[in-house]
Amino acid sequence: QRRLIENLFYHQTFTRTAVAERYRARHGELPPELLLLSPSMACNLRCGGCWAAEYGKVRRLTEDRLDRLLLEANEEMGIHFVVLTGGEPTLYRPLWNVMRRHQDVAFMPYTNGQLIDEAMADELARLAGLDLPDFLGKVTNEEAGPPAGKTSSEGTAAPAEE
């Protein structure tokens, strides 16, 4: 809770102001308040109408590139709030390391939630500075279509290899 308050309210309200004004002086407008990032297009589901599966599992940011993007967003635009989308962000293996290195950022993974167990939820809460990730809602196998690599919608979704 403390990190959430510090990152979203203190940094976004007070420390962001000088950075945002420098950005406005250079670009003629204020920077965005948050950053939406898709570190990977890998997903454990194939939901009807979802565009992520169209990109394939191999499209992903390197850990180094993601670190640089977060650092630039913070230093150049004063962004301390990042929404992680995908694909399924919990399949991005370097996610935990990246979140550990960027303690001044509040992360909100936008997830289908099917891979999150109690241990992962606790780790997400600790690292993201949020109590809960933002779930897409309860996605049933019938709604989602077959899990990645499966030919039917029976059974539970299993992690897809990145």
Side-chain angles (χ1 to χ4, degrees):
Q1 291 284 2
R2 181 178 175 270
R3 282 196 48 228
L4 176 64
I5 292 168
E6 183 178 314
N7 290 327
L8 286 183
F9 300 107
Y10 178 76
H11 286 308
Q12 285 293 106
T13 304
F14 299 108
T15 62
R16 181 178 193 275
T17 304
V19 176
E21 287 305 320
R22 282 195 308 270
Y23 184 93
R24 183 199 319 241
R26 284 191 309 265
H27 301 284
E29 61 189 13
L30 287 171
E33 294 283 331
L34 62 89
L35 182 63
L36 211 64
L37 276 174
S38 297
S40 169
M41 291 297 113
C43 190
N44 57 312
L45 302 176
R46 296 286 181 258
C47 300
C50 179
W51 51 266
E54 302 296 319
Y55 291 103
K57 296 177 189 176
V58 297
R59 301 232 8 210
R60 62 186 292 277
L61 293 172
T62 65
E63 188 172 347
D64 182 56
R65 181 66 181 135
L66 183 55
D67 273 331
R68 285 192 321 255
L69 285 170
L70 292 168
L71 188 62
E72 290 170 14
N74 188 309
E75 291 176 352
E76 299 295 320
M77 295 182 271
I79 293 176
H80 293 272
F81 182 53
V82 175
V83 178
L84 298 168
T85 65
E88 172 55 38
T90 60
L91 285 173
Y92 182 69
R93 296 193 196 290
L95 181 63
W96 314 118
N97 292 332
V98 170
M99 291 170 82
R100 280 183 196 99
R101 284 191 297 273
H102 296 276
Q103 295 289 306
D104 59 344
V105 174
F107 291 95
M108 184 184 77
Y110 194 67
T111 176
N112 62 46
Q114 291 200 357
L115 303 176
I116 298 178
D117 58 14
E118 189 172 335
M120 185 185 284
D122 289 344
E123 184 73 351
L124 274 171
R126 189 177 70 73
L127 292 173
L130 298 173
D131 282 333
L132 294 171
D134 189 22
F135 293 100
L136 295 172
K138 184 177 179 184
V139 179
T140 65
N141 288 342
E142 290 77 26
E143 293 168 329
K150 304 283 184 184
T151 57
S152 76
S153 62
E154 295 176 7
T156 59
E161 287 298 314
E162 176 138 353

